[in-house]
Amino acid sequence: MTPMVKADQVVKNFGSLEVLKGIDLEVGAGEVLCLVGPSGSGKSTFLRCINHLEKVDAGRLHVDGSLVGYRQKGDKLYEISPKEAARQRREIGMVFQHFNLFPHRTALENIIEAPMLVKGESRPTATERARRLLETVGLAAKADAFPAQLSGGQQQRVAIARALAMEPKLMLFDEPTSALDPELVGEVLAVMRDLAEAGMTMVVVTHEMGFAREVADTVAFMDNGVVVESGKPADVLGAPTQQRTKDFLSKIL
């Protein structure tokens, strides 16, 4: 089967700084990949490359068999237009550390905007799905609440519902709980756990090792722009083979 995500020697530079130094990773359809490692290791940059928020400088990234951000003719790559990139991106949901909700719109209005503007859905169709998604994330009673009236955990759950409203085939999570108070982390992880159980393909940058151990099909430990070690959670987190992985885990577990 075609992997949902396939990274082949992906390189990303910011000026003279090489942030990704040849990343090879695969995520099968319906699988969860958790990226763990110290800050500055390239995890979030790699996530942003998957939906072409960052352009790769070398290598290839495919989502569901399609080259991300580029078109290949012969041996050469040509960057696709911003409009084509946006069309690709609409099938990839992304949830950020900070919720990025529109403060002047209710939870429901935040969720229906993209399906209406980007996909041309009618308001009744978008609204029906939004209410269903709010129920899914446990916020059916908060449809008319503004972001300022919601806790951080509730705002993040609205952000997840907003991403799901576009009916993506892949969900990317960039440290979705790192900006939350500790007591609110569980409610967001519970929604993500339910998504994984429902078969959503997910790539998650996280420091929540318990979540990674429980939910991930694959854990990849990244450091200094490379994948140091990857495999089943029990192996990478429970019996790592690389000293750098052991050093990292000894500080956080």
Side-chain angles (χ1 to χ4, degrees):
M1 291 179 63
T2 301
M4 183 59 74
V5 179
K6 181 174 174 59
D8 181 17
Q9 286 295 294
V10 169
V11 172
K12 174 63 185 177
N13 304 315
F14 291 111
S16 61
L17 179 64
E18 195 175 25
V19 178
L20 300 177
K21 303 174 181 177
I23 302 295
D24 290 315
L25 281 171
E26 282 192 14
V27 187
E31 292 184 350
V32 178
L33 167 67
C34 282
L35 300 173
V36 303
S39 298
S41 58
K43 307 182 303 296
S44 294
T45 297
F46 175 65
L47 204 69
R48 292 171 66 85
C49 287
I50 293 175
N51 65 357
H52 203 53
L53 288 176
E54 299 288 355
K55 303 174 186 178
V56 302
D57 292 302
R60 303 282 193 277
L61 253 174
H62 289 83
V63 170
D64 201 16
S66 297
L67 192 61
V68 173
Y70 296 89
R71 183 181 297 106
Q72 186 162 347
K73 290 185 179 178
D75 293 332
K76 292 189 175 181
L77 290 181
Y78 299 89
E79 189 173 359
I80 61 178
S81 69
K83 189 173 183 179
E84 289 175 293
R87 194 175 301 121
Q88 276 190 342
R89 203 174 288 128
R90 75 171 64 166
E91 296 190 305
I92 305 172
M94 187 154 184
V95 178
F96 299 88
Q97 286 182 22
H98 301 286
F99 328 119
N100 299 337
L101 299 177
F102 295 114
H104 58 292
R105 295 199 167 102
T106 65
L108 184 76
E109 290 167 344
N110 266 280
I111 295 169
I112 66 175
E113 175 153 353
M116 289 172 58
L117 287 179
V118 178
K119 296 175 73 175
E121 287 187 357
S122 69
R123 180 174 287 271
T125 298
T127 299
E128 181 183 354
R129 184 187 301 109
R131 291 193 184 280
R132 193 165 63 245
L133 287 169
L134 282 170
E135 186 171 348
T136 297
V137 300
L139 293 173
K142 299 292 186 180
D144 297 323
F146 289 92
Q149 298 170 310
L150 301 173
S151 71
Q154 290 172 332
Q155 289 185 61
Q156 192 62 294
R157 285 188 279 158
V158 172
I160 293 172
R162 179 179 60 182
L164 291 172
M166 291 294 286
E167 300 182 301
K169 55 189 175 186
L170 169 66
M171 285 285 285
L172 309 177
F173 293 86
D174 189 6
E175 299 191 29
T177 60
S178 65
L180 300 178
D181 291 333
E183 66 268 22
L184 302 177
V185 169
E187 63 190 49
V188 174
L189 294 181
V191 170
M192 295 170 63
R193 195 175 289 111
D194 289 344
L195 279 179
E197 290 176 358
M200 175 61 73
T201 311
M202 297 160 56
V203 182
V204 184
V205 173
T206 186
H207 293 293
E208 300 292 337
M209 297 300 152
F211 174 83
R213 190 187 300 272
E214 179 188 348
V215 176
D217 296 284
T218 303
V219 171
F221 171 66
M222 289 181 63
D223 186 38
N224 198 29
V226 301
V227 176
V228 176
E229 190 167 355
S230 68
K232 294 185 180 301
D235 296 332
V236 176
L237 301 179
T241 61
Q242 300 299 310
Q243 188 60 47
R244 181 64 189 94
T245 316
K246 294 176 184 178
D247 292 343
F248 173 76
L249 293 174
S250 72
K251 293 181 174 68
I252 64 168
L253 293 180

